[in-house]
Amino acid sequence: MRFLRKLKSWNMKCIYLLIPSLAGTFIFFVIPFVRVIYYSFIDNQFRRNFVGLDNYVQTFQNEFFQLALQNSLLLIVICIPVLILLAIIISLVLSYGIKTLRKTRAAFILPMLIPTASVAEIWRLVFTGETVLPVYTLFIWKNIGICVILLTAALTAIEPEIFEAAKMDGAKGIKLHKRISVPLILPTIIFTILLSIVNSFRVFKESYLFYGTNYPPSHSYTLQFYMNNNFLKLDYQALATSSVYTMILVIILVLVCFGLQRRYSR
Amino acid sequence: MNKYISCLIVFFLIIFLFVSCKSTIIDEDEFIEDIFENINMMFETDIQDYDFIYQMKNMVSGVYAFTVSDNGELYFSNWIDEGVVNEIIDVFDLNGNIIDTINLSQFAWDIALDELGISEDELENLTEPITISLDSFLPSSMTIHDNFIYFTERNQFGSTSTRVFYYNIENEELKIITTLESFTNVRNIVFSGNFLYLHGRDVELLQNTNRPHILFGDSVKSVNLITGDIETVFDESPIGIAGMDDDELMVYAYDENEGFYFLKHGTDVRIYNNLRNSINNFYFNMFGDSSIIYSFGDFLILTTLDESDIERELARDLYFLSSKPFVARSGFLFYNTHSGIRRICVREMTLGTVLNMAHTDPGGTAYYTPVPVLPALGIQTRNMSIGYYDLAFRILSGDNEIDIYYLHSQHDISDNIRRRGAFYTLNDIPGIWEYLDAVFPYVRDAALDENGDIWMLPIALDTTLFLYNERLTAEFGIDIDSINTFKDLTFVINDLRERNIPVDSGAQYEWFFDRYFYQIMRNNNGFNRNDFRTMAEFFYDYINFVKGEWSFQNSQFLNANDFAYDEYFVEIDGRRLWDWRGRYLFTPQSLSLSRFNINLALSHEIYDDEMFFEQLKSMYDGTGVYNHIPLNYIHNRYMKFPSISGMAESDITVEFIAVNPNSNNLDEVIEFLTRLIEYQMNLENSFILKDRSTYTDRHYINDVYGILNYKDNFIRFSISSDLIYDDFRAFLGDEITLDEYLNRVEFKINAYLNE
């Protein structure tokens, strides 16, 4: 009732304007999400027998799901700190470092503009051999642009007076940025980390094009490959349960990020 | 202002999208409705479903020509012997009941007087005797338009002219329209506009003999029904003629340089079809000199005279049926058998009850994509070639556009359909259990899922056979029984080369890689390092990857999948003839190709060298008709193809149909499968049925049957060799080491089987 009263108090125009967006979200996100949950509890979508948590148990016990999960987490644990650190350094250099370098700012957007297929082809010329490095490098190279843009925007939004006050108190050099700049842009850094985590789950395209197969070397076999291959095998249940696991993983990571943000904001 | 303009643009965009979508849907629905509405209006029926074969029950024998009226009535020219021979036209209704008999012989007297130009009264008053010949009027070709049956007479021996008649059904009146001099053997008569068009043969009488001589071959003549003028409208090797809906004439003809083409009479635009290139030289010859073309609506139906039954491999809009007359009307194709008339529904099923068939198109060098070979059983199947991703997406999303899946056990998605239950269970299809009992036992096993339900209908088997010439191998001292493995085979080939016997080593390694991969993986038991190491080393030793050839001694590279010829050509008068096809010692050959060649051999009955030679010589002399002559089968034998491990059984695959459980046309699907089962059960030399009595008694057929009937055979649903093909090439090209190759393969295969 309280919700209805609150709803009534809204301007009806607002509600009308929201309807298309809500409808789109409902049709394209909520319904598929519910269906995925449903599929994860049945034996297959042709016979549709309820099997409880069997699919979850099977998927979790599957050695290739474990391998994929491990590789996906490794990508997050190794690449994202490197990516964020690099992005912060570049942003600081661009914002407060050598002035001539600021003109090169646009170059960081280029990786986002070049088609992934071309990038993968070029990367193949650079990297050879059995190593995970090409995928990691490709991920960092591809995503650093957006991170730098976001962080640079946040840095330039800091009031100059704050720096002046800090300098008067004796802060300078790296200490200045460590104590002043970085804490002030912490929400943006957290947002950039979240964005990068989400992007890390989308590294499939680059990896697929680089290796040219649904079965890359074991070190690059991520959750997306696991899901894609099960899709081709018509195993919707493995696909659905691994999607749910991925969702849970992302929620945990988001919560950890928010927790960190809250802690450091204090 | 900008706000309003933006709103307007968005509004029009929405309207445009709506109209686009809407119009597509409406068009298709309307078209389906139109088809049924027109058919039912035409036949005054309420048919929503069409019989595929229509067998007349009260047919009299001896049908010479027939036609079908627009309302579906069948008109047959016929004769009956009731002491006096009467030439008649019988008329049957849609249900096969006789509704009328037109006795043409009763008009013989009147026609004879007409031709003499005298009346009955004048005859009474004749002062001198005259000879009146009561000729035969038995129609050799006929067509019906409004209430008139137009037909040509059946030529008597030695005749050089042909009379053209019409019979007025309403007035029961028979009249001669005209007599075409130096023109006989009319194959087809077409009414179009105010003209009759006749496709026949130009002849003249040889001097001092009574034998007609063919002048120029075939031509098309027109008879103006108003003025009576006769004109040769086409004389450049016509194959067939057809009337079009717009009262125009369509000619199908042959051009020595370019091949076959369609030509609308009165225009110069020739539309060449690519049958000659795209199908096979064999079919090119099947047109022969007696093909007939019909049109209805947008379809052109081409028929040919051939001894075989429906040619299954051909395109869907071209029909090559048996050696009987055909008539196409209103979506039905009628043809005359020895025992009656059959009616095949052709057009109606293309949309309303269409079975959209999907066969996967995996691509990749190591794959072979099967061509649908389903016979036209009254329900036309529209083929949709789709890739794995699309097919998987359609299956998982419950797509109902595709009704049946036409697949091959070699496609890895086949096994996924079975294991995931993505099929409509076929247990209740009439006759299916009997059919499964009739096929080889291992085929039956493959058709059942883990619960014992029938998940697919097997259509045809395939495997790689080893075809060899028994006489020649004996002459060269080859112990054919000693060739069990591929290493044995390479030993024999090298031995032949050392003896300076020309041996072609053009077999493509991709093909062998594929075979051996499937042999190793036939049980899907997982990765066996030793097997894959052996295979890798074997190929590495025998293949010059850079040159793309086998590393046999004195190797040559040719594209044919043949191993060894004894000669590349036949020499006649010092000239090489047919230098691409001689007799050979041995070659790998797929069962599907063998089946084709065997049937061809049986139909030609070429069993000795002399006949083979004569055929070639006649070609050389220019007197013979080009014919695809199969290899001289008298000495041909088959054995199991040498394997990598020397295993006793053959690796057999199956082409099959599975049904989409979400199909909107399940009734039609069931009907189609029922007919298909009936068709399959009556096949001869099918190489899928186990009943030995359904096979012709020939030594090469016995060989193949023996291979297929081996007790340990089984159908495998294996993973795709594409999975590791790039790695294999990388290894052969020295890009990766053997261990790296094996590690990659191990991961991929284990992941595929266990993820």
Side-chain angles (χ1 to χ4, degrees):
Chain A
M1 291 306 287
R2 193 179 162 193
F3 172 74
L4 286 175
R5 272 203 303 277
K6 197 172 181 181
L7 199 65
K8 275 183 184 172
S9 69
W10 283 13
N11 187 337
M12 284 308 286
K13 276 186 183 171
C14 295
I15 293 170
Y16 291 146
L17 288 170
L18 272 174
I19 284 174
S21 171
L22 287 174
T25 308
F26 188 77
I27 292 167
F28 295 112
F29 291 97
V30 178
I31 293 177
F33 176 73
V34 172
R35 285 183 73 124
V36 164
I37 300 284
Y38 167 66
Y39 286 141
S40 69
F41 287 106
I42 57 173
D43 61 345
N44 75 42
Q45 71 269 43
F46 303 102
R47 298 185 185 119
R48 305 195 177 214
N49 299 316
F50 182 73
V51 292
L53 292 172
D54 284 2
N55 292 326
Y56 287 95
V57 174
Q58 278 176 20
T59 301
F60 199 75
Q61 288 175 343
N62 187 289
E63 62 171 309
F64 288 92
F65 174 76
Q66 290 169 5
L67 175 70
L69 187 65
Q70 178 192 315
N71 287 336
S72 294
L73 285 172
L74 269 176
L75 184 73
I76 292 170
V77 170
I78 294 171
C79 290
I80 290 180
V82 174
L83 172 69
I84 299 300
L85 198 64
L86 272 176
I88 291 172
I89 293 168
I90 293 168
S91 301
L92 287 170
V93 171
L94 289 176
S95 302
Y96 307 113
I98 307 158
K99 285 186 178 175
T100 48
L101 273 181
R102 292 179 197 176
K103 291 174 183 170
T104 64
R105 203 178 292 180
F108 291 95
I109 307 169
L110 283 178
M112 297 162 65
L113 301 177
I114 300 172
T116 313
S118 315
V119 175
E121 203 58 41
I122 294 164
W123 237 239
R124 271 199 224 190
L125 300 174
V126 178
F127 290 101
T128 52
E130 303 285 305
T131 167
V132 76
L133 206 56
V135 177
Y136 285 8
T137 317
L138 194 59
F139 171 72
I140 292 169
W141 181 76
K142 184 90 180 165
N143 286 281
I144 202 157
I146 186 73
C147 295
V148 167
I149 289 167
L150 290 170
L151 293 172
T152 309
L155 284 171
T156 49
I158 299 172
E159 298 289 336
E161 290 82 5
I162 296 174
F163 284 113
E164 283 171 19
K167 280 176 186 170
M168 286 174 71
D169 289 342
K172 57 181 179 180
I174 295 173
K175 199 175 180 182
L176 178 74
H177 292 301
K178 191 180 167 188
R179 300 287 182 185
I180 304 295
S181 308
V182 173
L184 283 174
I185 64 165
L186 192 61
T188 310
I189 292 173
I190 298 294
F191 175 74
T192 312
I193 290 171
L194 281 177
L195 190 72
S196 303
I197 289 171
V198 171
N199 281 339
S200 76
F201 286 102
R202 295 167 59 197
V203 79
F204 170 74
K205 187 166 61 179
E206 291 81 357
S207 185
Y208 178 82
L209 288 168
F210 183 82
Y211 291 110
T213 172
N214 287 330
Y215 293 90
S218 57
H219 50 67
S220 296
Y221 181 82
T222 53
L223 280 170
Q224 286 67 45
F225 281 103
Y226 178 82
M227 287 191 256
N228 183 64
N229 293 343
N230 276 298
F231 163 77
L232 284 176
K233 289 179 188 170
L234 313 179
D235 193 345
Y236 219 142
Q237 282 53 55
L239 178 60
T241 46
S242 51
S243 300
V244 173
Y245 277 129
T246 308
M247 183 192 70
I248 293 168
L249 180 69
V250 171
I251 289 172
I252 291 169
L253 290 169
V254 169
L255 289 176
V256 168
C257 287
F258 282 146
L260 286 173
Q261 186 187 1
R262 206 169 296 144
R263 185 178 168 188
Y264 286 106
S265 297
R266 276 193 222 120
Chain B
M1 193 62 189
N2 284 340
K3 206 161 54 179
Y4 292 116
I5 292 171
S6 304
C7 285
L8 269 176
I9 290 170
V10 170
F11 174 75
F12 283 120
L13 198 65
I14 291 167
I15 294 290
F16 172 75
L17 286 171
F18 178 76
V19 170
S20 307
C21 299
K22 190 79 178 164
S23 62
T24 309
I25 296 162
I26 287 172
D27 278 354
E28 186 153 330
D29 287 345
E30 279 184 351
F31 190 53
I32 294 167
E33 283 174 20
D34 277 355
I35 293 284
F36 282 100
E37 194 176 297
N38 289 335
I39 295 294
N40 286 326
M41 195 168 65
M42 202 173 286
F43 294 135
E44 294 179 353
T45 56
D46 187 25
I47 302 170
Q48 298 296 329
D49 186 14
Y50 300 91
D51 54 346
F52 75 109
I53 285 182
Y54 180 58
Q55 186 77 41
M56 303 292 291
K57 295 183 178 65
N58 48 1
M59 264 292 305
V60 285
S61 60
V63 174
Y64 286 89
F66 83 111
T67 188
V68 185
S69 68
D70 285 340
N71 62 5
E73 289 169 350
L74 314 177
Y75 290 73
F76 305 99
S77 68
N78 204 335
W79 60 267
I80 49 174
D81 188 350
E82 296 172 329
V84 178
V85 173
N86 285 317
E87 286 97 11
I88 60 170
I89 293 175
D90 277 330
V91 187
F92 292 82
D93 69 10
L94 273 172
N95 299 315
N97 301 315
I98 189 160
I99 53 175
D100 196 8
T101 295
I102 302 163
N103 187 346
L104 297 174
S105 299
Q106 67 177 307
F107 300 103
W109 183 254
D110 294 338
I111 292 290
L113 293 184
D114 263 2
E115 285 189 317
L116 289 169
I118 56 176
S119 64
E120 289 274 359
D121 292 339
E122 288 169 335
L123 188 67
E124 292 288 326
N125 300 322
L126 280 176
T127 54
E128 291 181 10
I130 58 168
T131 304
I132 296 179
S133 171
L134 298 178
D135 289 339
S136 163
F137 302 128
L138 192 65
S140 66
S141 67
M142 60 198 284
T143 186
I144 187 165
H145 182 74
D146 288 338
N147 274 319
F148 290 84
I149 302 171
Y150 299 95
F151 66 91
T152 56
E153 67 177 323
R154 186 171 175 236
N155 295 107
Q156 303 296 314
F157 179 75
S159 96
T160 55
S161 63
T162 303
R163 290 177 296 177
V164 185
F165 300 88
Y166 74 78
Y167 176 75
N168 186 331
I169 297 169
E170 207 167 287
N171 300 336
E172 297 183 352
E173 179 186 37
L174 182 71
K175 290 282 183 192
I176 291 180
I177 298 171
T178 189
T179 300
L180 299 166
E181 298 296 340
S182 303
F183 193 69
T184 60
N185 296 332
V186 175
R187 244 173 247 130
N188 196 10
I189 181 168
V190 166
F191 181 96
S192 190
N194 290 315
F195 291 88
L196 283 178
Y197 294 98
L198 302 103
H199 173 206
R201 179 161 287 174
D202 288 319
V203 295
E204 68 174 6
L205 204 60
L206 286 177
Q207 285 183 346
N208 306 321
T209 75
N210 64 347
R211 295 175 59 194
H213 173 66
I214 299 166
L215 275 179
F216 310 111
D218 286 6
S219 70
V220 179
K221 295 194 186 301
S222 69
V223 177
N224 188 323
L225 292 172
I226 297 170
T227 64
D229 292 345
I230 299 167
E231 193 183 341
T232 300
V233 296
F234 192 86
D235 57 6
E236 298 175 36
S237 303
I239 302 294
I241 56 173
M244 305 300 290
D245 284 350
D246 55 1
D247 285 344
E248 294 291 345
L249 178 72
M250 181 69 87
V251 180
Y252 189 62
Y254 177 64
D255 175 336
E256 281 184 3
N257 299 317
E258 303 287 338
F260 293 94
Y261 61 92
F262 296 106
L263 174 74
K264 200 167 184 178
H265 176 52
T267 69
D268 293 328
V269 182
R270 295 181 174 192
I271 303 165
Y272 285 90
N273 64 32
N274 58 359
L275 290 174
R276 185 177 178 181
N277 300 323
S278 67
I279 300 178
N280 192 307
N281 279 333
F282 172 64
Y283 296 110
F284 150 62
N285 296 297
M286 286 178 63
F287 290 102
D289 60 355
S290 47
S291 298
I292 302 166
I293 185 167
Y294 293 98
S295 74
F296 55 102
D298 299 330
F299 288 82
L300 285 169
I301 299 297
L302 188 64
T303 67
T304 187
L305 302 191
D306 178 63
E307 293 303 316
S308 62
D309 202 342
I310 296 170
E311 288 301 325
R312 304 164 74 202
E313 291 85 354
L314 293 172
R316 315 306 297 176
D317 55 348
L318 293 173
Y319 292 83
F320 295 74
L321 303 173
S322 59
S323 54
K324 312 297 180 304
F326 294 85
V327 167
R329 283 282 185 281
S330 308
F332 289 98
L333 189 68
F334 299 88
Y335 70 101
N336 180 10
T337 69
H338 289 296
S339 59
I341 299 297
R342 290 185 176 184
R343 182 178 71 174
I344 297 180
C345 164
V346 179
R347 195 181 179 190
E348 295 81 350
M349 294 304 202
T350 54
L351 277 172
T353 55
V354 67
L355 304 182
N356 291 334
M357 203 162 48
H359 73 79
T360 53
D361 185 11
T365 50
Y367 265 115
Y368 110 87
T369 306
V371 178
V373 290
L374 297 180
L377 294 176
I379 298 178
Q380 182 160 333
T381 50
R382 182 160 59 91
N383 185 21
M384 292 174 68
S385 179
I386 56 178
Y388 277 168
Y389 271 96
D390 193 16
L391 184 55
F393 182 76
R394 282 168 181 271
I395 291 171
L396 289 176
S397 62
D399 176 78
N400 56 18
E401 189 186 358
I402 294 171
D403 301 305
I404 57 177
Y405 303 114
Y406 183 92
L407 295 165
H408 195 284
S409 55
Q410 207 163 306
H411 298 144
D412 42 11
I413 203 160
S414 299
D415 198 33
N416 292 328
I417 287 176
R418 179 173 66 100
R419 287 193 294 113
R420 300 302 305 168
F423 54 83
Y424 175 81
T425 306
L426 306 178
N427 293 358
D428 297 330
I429 304 285
I432 195 161
W433 289 104
E434 291 79 3
Y435 176 64
L436 291 187
D437 288 338
V439 298
F440 292 115
Y442 55 90
V443 183
R444 186 185 196 278
D445 293 343
L448 303 178
D449 73 354
E450 58 195 12
N451 302 317
D453 292 326
I454 303 171
W455 72 280
M456 60 89 155
L457 179 71
I459 303 298
L461 300 182
D462 208 353
T463 188
T464 306
L465 301 167
F466 189 67
L467 174 61
Y468 64 97
N469 185 310
E470 192 175 29
R471 180 178 68 82
L472 288 174
T473 48
E475 278 179 20
F476 286 110
I478 298 167
D479 179 11
I480 209 77
D481 292 332
S482 69
I483 306 176
N484 289 317
T485 65
F486 193 71
K487 281 192 175 174
D488 299 334
L489 185 61
T490 54
F491 175 79
V492 170
I493 292 173
N494 282 333
D495 178 54
L496 287 168
R497 288 208 156 129
E498 281 174 9
R499 291 152 57 191
N500 291 323
I501 297 166
V503 178
D504 172 11
S505 61
Q508 292 167 346
Y509 71 85
E510 294 95 335
W511 184 83
F512 279 95
F513 167 73
D514 217 23
R515 299 274 76 71
Y516 287 168
F517 176 82
Y518 291 129
Q519 281 185 22
I520 289 174
M521 292 302 301
R522 66 186 182 279
N523 293 321
N524 284 353
N525 285 338
F527 175 78
N528 182 315
R529 187 168 278 261
N530 283 336
D531 280 350
F532 275 92
R533 182 185 291 277
T534 308
M535 184 176 86
E537 286 172 344
F538 170 80
F539 279 103
Y540 196 82
D541 290 342
Y542 280 100
I543 290 172
N544 185 333
F545 181 73
V546 178
K547 289 185 180 176
E549 66 183 21
W550 289 96
S551 296
F552 297 125
Q553 294 169 28
N554 307 316
S555 63
Q556 304 170 48
F557 180 69
L558 290 172
N559 287 322
N561 277 335
D562 301 321
F563 275 123
Y565 295 97
D566 67 329
E567 49 196 5
Y568 290 105
F569 52 85
V570 175
E571 274 197 4
I572 299 172
D573 298 340
R575 284 181 60 180
R576 291 181 181 185
L577 187 65
W578 226 359
D579 59 356
W580 52 274
R581 191 184 292 273
R583 294 169 295 171
Y584 47 69
L585 286 170
F586 40 72
T587 181
Q589 192 173 83
S590 69
L591 173 62
S592 53
L593 183 58
S594 300
R595 187 166 49 226
F596 177 82
N597 282 340
I598 284 171
N599 282 326
L600 203 58
L602 290 174
S603 66
H604 283 72
E605 290 290 336
I606 297 169
Y607 291 121
D608 61 67
D609 286 342
E610 283 309 306
M611 284 183 68
F612 181 72
F613 184 81
E614 285 303 317
Q615 287 270 0
L616 289 173
K617 194 170 186 309
S618 68
M619 285 169 52
Y620 169 71
D621 293 340
T623 56
V625 177
Y626 177 89
N627 266 316
H628 174 111
I629 302 168
L631 298 167
N632 185 0
Y633 261 75
I634 191 168
H635 299 300
N636 277 0
R637 299 293 303 269
Y638 287 99
M639 61 181 271
K640 184 183 74 63
F641 190 74
S643 67
I644 194 165
S645 61
M647 64 180 192
E649 72 273 17
S650 298
D651 53 329
I652 296 174
T653 57
V654 62
E655 291 171 29
F656 65 90
I657 286 176
V659 177
N660 179 6
N662 298 307
S663 164
N664 278 339
N665 301 314
L666 276 177
D667 288 343
E668 286 76 19
V669 167
I670 290 166
E671 190 182 343
F672 178 76
L673 293 184
T674 307
R675 293 167 188 174
L676 189 58
I677 289 166
E678 191 183 331
Y679 176 87
Q680 291 283 114
M681 288 285 270
N682 290 308
L683 285 177
E684 289 179 2
N685 300 320
S686 63
F687 297 120
I688 191 169
L689 298 174
K690 66 182 176 190
D691 182 359
R692 185 65 187 82
S693 66
T694 61
Y695 294 85
T696 312
D697 187 19
R698 298 275 185 270
H699 57 273
Y700 42 84
I701 293 178
N702 294 340
D703 290 341
V704 179
Y705 181 84
I707 293 166
L708 295 178
N709 198 35
Y710 185 72
K711 60 182 172 54
D712 291 335
N713 285 346
F714 65 95
I715 302 285
R716 51 175 176 68
F717 292 89
S718 63
I719 67 179
S720 166
S721 63
D722 269 2
L723 192 67
I724 64 163
Y725 187 66
D726 286 344
D727 303 313
F728 174 66
R729 287 175 61 89
F731 164 65
L732 289 184
D734 288 330
E735 293 171 29
I736 56 173
T737 64
L738 177 60
D739 280 337
E740 283 173 337
Y741 166 70
L742 292 173
N743 289 341
R744 283 190 190 183
V745 172
E746 180 175 18
F747 173 73
K748 287 185 173 184
I749 288 176
N750 284 336
Y752 184 89
L753 293 173
N754 301 310
E755 70 188 350

